[in-house]
Amino acid sequence: MSKVHTSTLLGKERTITSIIIRRFQQLQRVLFLCVLTIITTQNKRSKSKFKMSTAALASKSKLILRSRALVAGPQPTQDPFLFCVYHKDAYPAATDSTMEAPRRGNGQDFNPSAPYRMYHGDRIPGFPQHPHRGFETITATIDGLIDHADSVGNAGRYGEGDVQWMTAGKGVVHGEMFPLVHQDKPNHTRFFQIWLNLPKKDKMVDPSFAMFWANDVPKYTSADGKAAVTTWFGEYFIDDNSKSNKPPPNSWASNPANDVAVLHITLQPGGTINVPKSHIAPKDACNRSLYLVEGYNLGVSIGGTVVKESEGRCIEVDASVDMELTLPADATGSCEFLMLQGKPIDEPVVQHGPFVMNSQSEIYQAFDDYRRTRFGGWPWKRDDMVFPQDKGRFALLYGEETAPTAI
């Protein structure tokens, strides 16, 4: 590359960056989520970014390929996934109808040692309006509530087992806030946010959305009641009385040949679950990752190999082999796993903050497009949009409002 061309690109990057910085100083918050300002390829990210915690563990098992320690913030992921965060915040009861937390945020509150975090929120915790392009977000909830609003005009309040799936595609701006809706009890939240990549041919599709209410999410419980699986997505643990939910149409997960699965697995002491091998491996490549997020005091058996906290709890396993998970009967509490699986997209990944594309020039274009269009603008009265305290769970999609049905 010539010096002139290099200088032009650098100048353009500085100009675009300064515009973004000025814009978000005015809004008094930070654009980039969770300090994700890396530019990398998928190969470099998977091979060299995270240090293995124990090579010995993998050598003891044909099932376990790699084990690493969980870290505060985003966890290591495999293609086709880009990002995975386990949110767990002990928000207290609200003091009034404003749904505000007892303390103010500083715009960058990610302290892993605190009882709860304000993230990019000021008085209400969460992530005020911010843009995305080139991938999908899957927000899978366990406890608590989330308020969603976006530049398309869609909105919702969801949680307590609901799943929201959003294809950002060519560009969308959204906010994810965690209002303290309850005054009579704590507002604890637990959920996963997962980023699923889009292939090059689908990175510029129109934004799309899906809401899976908790009542409609397939759930499996073993005969002895000691093992349970929530199938947030995938063709696993689906019986005759349930069916897997459908993601947005351009999702990598919408093609069964890609065998995408997102499972939440819970074991009680003495519980065992056998997770079937991938539907496509070994004929086709398929990556499977297991995250032990809760309960590991006495070690958990994964395919006969006992994994303890010191040996790492982010585990890559061979998807072509059935996987048996067992929690010892003398464990003092339950344990929980997240399983992510899918056929790799196997394309270059260039990521800068909230934009994920295939090349550096496409990242420049994403910044330029956002500067010019704001991806449709923000139609809501506040950047950290939340809904009335007494509003129940709902989804407003393309002008039509729905709510979960009573059990």
Side-chain angles (χ1 to χ4, degrees):
M1 182 180 295
S2 69
K3 292 183 179 179
V4 173
H5 187 47
T6 302
S7 176
T8 300
L9 287 177
L10 291 174
K12 185 174 182 180
E13 184 176 16
R14 284 194 295 268
T15 300
I16 293 172
T17 302
S18 66
I19 291 169
I20 294 297
I21 290 173
R22 288 200 302 272
R23 166 65 176 161
F24 284 79
Q25 283 175 337
Q26 292 169 359
L27 294 177
Q28 295 182 335
R29 61 185 175 80
V30 179
L31 169 64
F32 302 130
L33 298 176
C34 303
V35 298
L36 288 180
T37 55
I38 57 170
I39 297 177
T40 183
T41 64
Q42 185 74 33
N43 288 339
K44 288 182 179 179
R45 187 167 58 87
S46 63
K47 292 181 180 179
S48 63
K49 183 168 177 61
F50 302 100
K51 183 179 180 181
M52 286 184 58
S53 59
T54 137
L57 183 63
S59 68
K60 291 191 296 183
S61 170
K62 293 182 179 180
L63 174 66
I64 297 174
L65 304 177
R66 179 182 298 186
S67 176
R68 322 176 216 185
L70 290 182
V71 297
Q75 303 304 323
T77 54
Q78 298 188 84
D79 188 357
F81 297 95
L82 298 162
F83 174 98
C84 176
V85 168
Y86 175 47
H87 287 268
K88 184 179 181 181
D89 291 285
Y91 297 116
T95 57
D96 56 37
S97 61
T98 63
M99 301 177 286
E100 296 178 350
R103 63 179 177 84
R104 299 190 70 162
N106 61 10
Q108 281 276 57
D109 182 7
F110 292 88
N111 180 3
S113 300
Y116 65 86
R117 284 140 290 280
M118 295 297 289
Y119 300 105
H120 293 325
D122 179 21
R123 302 308 299 264
I124 295 177
F127 298 85
Q129 61 145 315
H130 55 275
H132 289 305
R133 171 179 279 185
F135 63 98
E136 300 184 283
T137 64
I138 304 170
T139 308
T141 68
I142 303 169
D143 301 311
L145 294 169
I146 300 171
D147 277 7
H148 166 92
D150 64 49
S151 55
V152 182
N154 296 325
R157 171 169 288 168
Y158 66 98
E160 306 296 348
D162 303 328
V163 178
Q164 190 212 50
W165 197 309
M166 182 183 82
T167 302
K170 65 184 181 182
V172 69
V173 179
H174 77 151
E176 304 154 293
M177 304 306 299
F178 318 137
L180 278 60
V181 298
H182 301 297
Q183 292 181 242
D184 58 342
K185 62 180 181 180
N187 289 275
H188 293 183
T189 60
R190 283 206 304 143
F191 66 92
F192 293 93
Q193 179 154 106
I194 301 157
W195 291 8
L196 176 62
N197 201 8
L198 287 168
K200 183 178 180 63
K201 69 181 184 66
D202 292 323
K203 283 191 176 292
M204 296 298 287
V205 299
D206 289 335
S208 187
F209 306 82
M211 183 73 80
F212 309 153
W213 298 117
N215 295 353
D216 300 321
V217 174
K219 299 174 181 65
Y220 163 85
T221 302
S222 63
D224 62 5
K226 295 181 179 181
V229 180
T230 300
T231 303
W232 283 326
F233 184 75
E235 296 299 327
Y236 295 85
F237 299 97
I238 305 293
D239 59 27
D240 294 338
N241 298 318
S242 60
K243 61 180 180 180
S244 182
N245 287 291
K246 292 184 178 180
N250 295 108
S251 173
W252 184 248
S254 65
N255 185 347
N258 296 328
D259 201 17
V260 173
V262 181
L263 307 181
H264 181 225
I265 302 168
T266 302
L267 295 177
Q268 303 298 330
T272 295
I273 191 80
N274 186 67
V275 181
K277 65 182 181 180
S278 163
H279 300 312
I280 63 173
K283 180 180 178 181
D284 292 318
C286 189
N287 290 328
R288 177 179 281 186
S289 296
L290 200 62
Y291 303 85
L292 177 54
V293 295
E294 296 285 351
Y296 40 80
N297 57 321
L298 291 178
V300 180
S301 172
I302 301 177
T305 299
V306 176
V307 178
K308 298 181 179 179
E309 180 181 12
S310 60
E311 296 178 316
R313 292 170 286 146
C314 174
I315 301 162
E316 297 174 12
V317 297
D318 184 348
S320 68
V321 179
D322 289 348
M323 177 174 63
E324 185 179 84
L325 307 175
T326 302
L327 183 64
D330 55 353
T332 57
S334 62
C335 72
E336 297 179 37
F337 295 89
L338 171 70
M339 192 191 92
L340 299 180
Q341 173 186 289
K343 181 179 179 179
I345 295 173
D346 197 23
E347 293 179 352
V349 173
V350 180
Q351 177 178 334
H352 198 117
F355 304 138
V356 182
M357 303 301 289
N358 298 106
S359 68
Q360 184 90 6
S361 62
E362 290 171 329
I363 293 293
Y364 294 153
Q365 188 64 53
F367 276 108
D368 190 49
D369 290 346
Y370 176 64
R371 177 184 60 81
R372 289 185 300 102
T373 69
R374 296 286 183 255
F375 293 164
W378 186 248
W380 304 97
K381 63 183 179 181
R382 51 191 286 180
D383 290 333
D384 60 344
M385 185 63 194
V386 292
F387 301 97
Q389 184 181 32
D390 59 356
K391 180 78 171 175
R393 287 153 58 214
F394 76 99
L396 177 65
L397 297 178
Y398 308 109
E400 181 179 351
E401 184 170 321
T402 61
T405 57
I407 299 177

